Amino acid sequence: MKLHFEPNLDYQLQAIEAVCDLFRGQEISRTEFTVTKSTASGEFLPGMESSLGIGNRLTLLDDELLKNLGDIQLRNGLPHPARLLQVTLP
């Protein structure tokens, strides 16, 4: 899937701003790691490393995320959440 953004559409700029504002206060805590491929038995294959990955550990507390989310929703005329929903991925 390919996403295409127009640089001057207000609703796209507002969406980008909302996502960035959700993480307001997040410190940059970059770590580098190598992604490797392994066989079905769990053995790593030499020479099968791909490029470096970059991770950013989330340091914001749930209360900080909730406040940021509430500020975004208030700005957009949406009801403020009472709490964050916990999502468990399979």
Side-chain angles (χ1 to χ4, degrees):
M1 177 168 59
K2 186 175 182 180
L3 299 176
H4 177 74
F5 290 98
E6 295 292 332
N8 297 320
L9 296 177
D10 284 340
Y11 70 93
Q12 287 185 355
L13 295 172
Q14 291 171 3
I16 293 167
E17 184 178 329
V19 171
C20 292
D21 285 349
L22 182 61
F23 297 101
R24 185 174 302 281
Q26 168 68 26
E27 299 174 4
I28 296 175
S29 54
R30 292 175 54 153
T31 56
E32 293 183 358
F33 58 91
T34 303
V35 179
T36 58
K37 296 180 183 178
S38 63
T39 63
S41 64
E43 297 176 27
F44 289 104
L45 302 173
M48 293 299 290
E49 297 87 16
S50 64
S51 60
L52 282 178
I54 298 175
N56 189 6
R57 183 173 49 95
L58 183 63
T59 59
L60 289 173
L61 301 174
D62 285 353
D63 289 344
E64 294 169 311
L65 284 171
L66 185 61
K67 181 193 177 312
N68 290 346
L69 179 59
D71 291 346
I72 294 165
Q73 289 178 317
L74 180 65
R75 181 174 71 218
N76 290 289
L78 300 169
H80 188 287
R83 62 185 176 84
L84 292 176
L85 298 177
Q86 298 296 322
V87 177
T88 304
L89 299 176

